[in-house]
Amino acid sequence: MNICILGAGYVGLVSGVCFADFGHSVTCIDLDKSKIEDLNKGIIPIFEPGLKELLDKNIKDNRLSFSTNLDNVIDKVDAIFIAVGTPSRRGDGHADIEYVINAAKEIAHKARKYILVVIKSTVPVGTNRLIQKIIFEENSELEFDMASNPEFLREGAAINDFMNPDRVVVGVESKKAEEILTEIYKPLLINEFPILVTDFESAEIIKYASNAFLATKITFINEIAALSEAAGANITDISNGMGLDARIGDKFLNAGPGYGGSCFPKDTLALAKIGSDLGSPMKIVETVIKVNSEIKLRMMSKLKILCDSSFKNKKISILGVTFKPETDDMRDAPALTIIPALLSQGAEVNIYCPQGQKEGAALLGDVKWFNDPYSAVKDTHLMVILTEWNEFYSLDLKKLASSMQTPKFADLRNIYNKQFALQCGFEKYDGVGQ
Ligand code: NAD
């Protein structure tokens, strides 16, 4: 199949590379000229494990190319995927589908033969029908079908998620659209990964409902963590005890500083807005949004207690600023709330993050960046683990504690236990829900 992807970001690039690896001929288009120039030189604009190798292989095999120009490819394309951003609209939290609309108009103006238009971006219910109408209005001669194909990959594990999905969701209205998408995803069908075919609206809601459910699970365990602290219990044991119940499952039950990232914050806000617009309020999701923002304040008060009630002139070292490990993505990371709050209250902040500096430097203001955790932590009054990068599981705590002005440790991902940290020389340790 000949495939085109509009938007070579986290989702578009991974999808394009993986479709090429399925054997299709893929062109990824992006408006960002420098991104496309880099990609044509084999330079990847994001950090995603395994992506570079797969990209190189498929470029070499002539199945993958990059361009800023849709005109050169659209005539030979069977399906075009829209994978552009759908950020929160300023002020009301609604998903901004302006980029999707612009992409659709461009397709309408340039396509001259039948094409399947697939929306991979996360879009509010009703968007596929709206885009169908817009394309028809812009070019009533064009023969085309629409399909909704929301993406569920996780940054940091994106290739594996795309190649081994729990499910592929396809929202269609025509047999032809279903057949083309089935052909595109054939390697997954052969390997018996489930492909769920549904209508547009259900496919659109499945994506938001899934993300909101996961955000709820995280927020629920974070609230239980607060209860656990108040009651003198241990959240790690509680999570284990809950997670062993097969009906609950052990995923997304790790207490921490609240969810962040490129999807959960904006998608929960958008779902709440969609519910209120349709007269069906999403009361649980609305509460989750509120509780999640309060969790960050709770983290701040933990840090403040460890700093003897004042951040003024305190040196604080932060380990990990990306919203999760194995990505360079800083969008809505808890670090973006916590670090500016520390700075505004007079703290000096040192940071070490395996991949966060490129994005974070512009976002985090007056902080000092280091190339390893030991230099970042040296001479500070408090060490904070904010993101659970693998390398933080085997830190030399003795070395770190002995290098600090006051050896205090806020372990906001519960990587270590209190007793061990104290044995290693920390005079104070606090985790989440411990
Ligand atoms: P992103 O911001 O990383 O990438 C979007 C890209 O689209 C940018 O490079 C931008 O330049 C490009 N673009 C915008 N308009 C364009 C146009 N008209 N033509 C060509 N390129 C255009 O976004 P992302 O994180 O990949 O997310 C894309 C969508 O996928 C969003 O709706 C998001 O909610 C959804 N999603 C994201 C993830 C994730 O983990 N990032 C996971 C699942 C779903």
Side-chain angles (χ1 to χ4, degrees):
M1 286 260 151
N2 264 302
I3 296 174
C4 179
I5 316 262
L6 287 186
Y10 284 86
V11 165
L13 184 56
V14 170
S15 305
V17 170
C18 292
F19 282 147
D21 209 58
F22 287 175
H24 304 302
S25 175
V26 179
T27 310
C28 294
I29 308 267
D30 204 288
L31 299 176
D32 184 337
K33 238 175 130 188
S34 67
K35 191 181 266 189
I36 294 298
E37 277 168 13
D38 280 351
L39 283 165
N40 274 323
K41 288 184 217 145
I43 301 168
I44 304 234
I46 54 172
F47 174 77
E48 184 60 50
L51 186 58
K52 167 83 178 137
E53 294 76 3
L54 213 57
L55 179 125
D56 287 346
K57 173 178 165 234
N58 284 283
I59 291 180
K60 191 165 155 276
D61 293 347
N62 281 325
R63 285 192 298 264
L64 182 62
S65 58
F66 301 95
S67 175
T68 50
N69 193 348
L70 183 58
D71 301 274
N72 299 342
V73 287
I74 192 145
D75 285 343
K76 56 175 194 230
V77 161
D78 301 298
I80 186 158
F81 286 74
I82 299 178
V84 300
T86 49
S88 278
R89 197 161 67 191
R90 263 166 199 265
D92 65 2
H94 204 288
D96 186 347
I97 59 165
E98 192 193 329
Y99 299 107
V100 178
I101 292 175
N102 291 342
K105 284 186 177 166
E106 190 183 1
I107 296 168
H109 296 158
K110 294 185 172 168
R112 283 179 293 208
K113 63 159 197 59
Y114 174 87
I115 195 163
L116 175 65
V117 180
V118 188
I119 302 189
K120 201 167 235 331
S121 301
T122 303
V123 291
V125 61
T127 303
N128 273 267
R129 224 163 274 292
L130 173 72
I131 295 297
Q132 190 176 40
K133 187 165 159 273
I134 290 174
I135 296 179
F136 179 74
E137 283 168 1
E138 298 287 319
N139 182 356
S140 58
E141 310 270 280
L142 182 67
E143 235 195 295
F144 74 101
D145 277 308
M146 287 297 305
S148 166
N149 175 220
E151 184 49 58
F152 299 93
L153 61 78
R154 294 162 300 166
E155 287 174 23
I159 302 285
N160 184 58
D161 285 352
F162 200 94
M163 299 291 204
N164 303 282
D166 290 334
R167 78 302 207 188
V168 173
V169 173
V170 161
V172 285
E173 279 197 324
S174 81
K175 204 70 208 153
K176 189 164 178 180
E178 183 181 340
E179 279 166 10
I180 295 173
L181 277 166
T182 307
E183 185 61 29
I184 289 173
Y185 282 107
K186 203 168 177 182
L188 300 183
L189 260 180
I190 292 168
N191 286 308
E192 297 187 357
F193 291 104
I195 298 202
L196 177 69
V197 180
T198 165
D199 53 75
F200 293 160
E201 287 75 14
S202 306
E204 290 165 338
I205 293 180
I206 287 169
K207 174 63 195 176
Y208 276 109
S210 302
N211 272 4
F213 191 84
L214 295 173
T216 303
K217 201 171 174 191
I218 294 171
T219 308
F220 183 84
I221 202 66
N222 283 335
E223 198 166 54
I224 295 292
L227 176 70
S228 165
E229 282 174 18
N234 185 321
I235 194 65
T236 308
D237 292 340
I238 297 168
S239 294
N240 286 340
M242 288 172 67
L244 285 168
D245 185 329
R247 294 168 303 176
I248 297 172
D250 60 1
K251 305 268 172 20
F252 285 79
L253 279 185
N254 297 324
Y259 64 75
S262 55
C263 292
F264 289 175
K266 79 172 177 66
D267 291 349
T268 44
L269 279 170
L271 184 57
K273 186 73 174 78
I274 293 164
S276 108
D277 286 352
L278 291 177
S280 180
M282 299 284 100
K283 292 182 194 160
I284 294 174
V285 178
E286 285 168 11
T287 305
V288 164
I289 294 166
K290 185 166 169 279
V291 173
N292 188 58
S293 65
E294 288 164 3
I295 287 164
K296 289 176 194 121
L297 298 179
R298 207 166 77 74
M299 296 302 119
M300 279 301 288
S301 54
K302 271 179 183 298
L303 304 190
K304 201 160 199 172
I305 291 168
L306 286 167
C307 283
D308 303 322
S309 306
S310 170
F311 293 122
K312 198 152 180 51
N313 301 324
K314 296 281 168 32
K315 283 189 175 178
I316 299 178
S317 43
I318 307 278
L319 302 186
V321 290
T322 50
F323 85 91
K324 67 173 179 179
E326 301 301 324
T327 182
D328 56 355
D329 200 341
M330 289 288 303
R331 287 178 281 187
D332 272 311
L336 296 179
T337 309
I338 291 172
I339 294 172
L342 294 173
L343 292 170
S344 73
Q345 292 178 53
E348 283 176 40
V349 175
N350 289 357
I351 300 178
Y352 167 69
C353 183
Q355 291 292 335
Q357 184 169 358
K358 195 174 107 198
E359 288 278 309
L363 299 168
L364 289 170
D366 198 11
V367 297
K368 283 190 191 139
W369 293 88
F370 290 82
N371 291 327
D372 72 282
Y374 300 93
S375 325
V377 169
K378 192 168 180 289
D379 287 333
T380 59
H381 297 95
L382 171 66
M383 168 174 102
V384 183
I385 293 186
L386 212 44
T387 313
E388 70 281 30
W389 284 85
N390 275 343
E391 64 185 85
F392 299 157
Y393 285 80
S394 51
L395 291 169
D396 184 340
L397 288 193
K398 279 188 184 156
K399 183 174 167 186
L400 289 166
S402 66
S403 76
M404 295 176 73
Q405 286 202 48
T406 55
K408 297 179 183 178
F409 182 7
D411 180 8
L412 301 189
R413 297 290 180 173
N414 290 343
I415 290 180
Y416 295 95
N417 72 49
K418 184 172 182 171
Q419 212 185 352
F420 179 69
L422 297 182
Q423 275 168 9
C424 290
F426 281 94
E427 69 189 43
K428 281 195 180 149
Y429 169 94
D430 197 8
V432 180
Q434 299 191 34

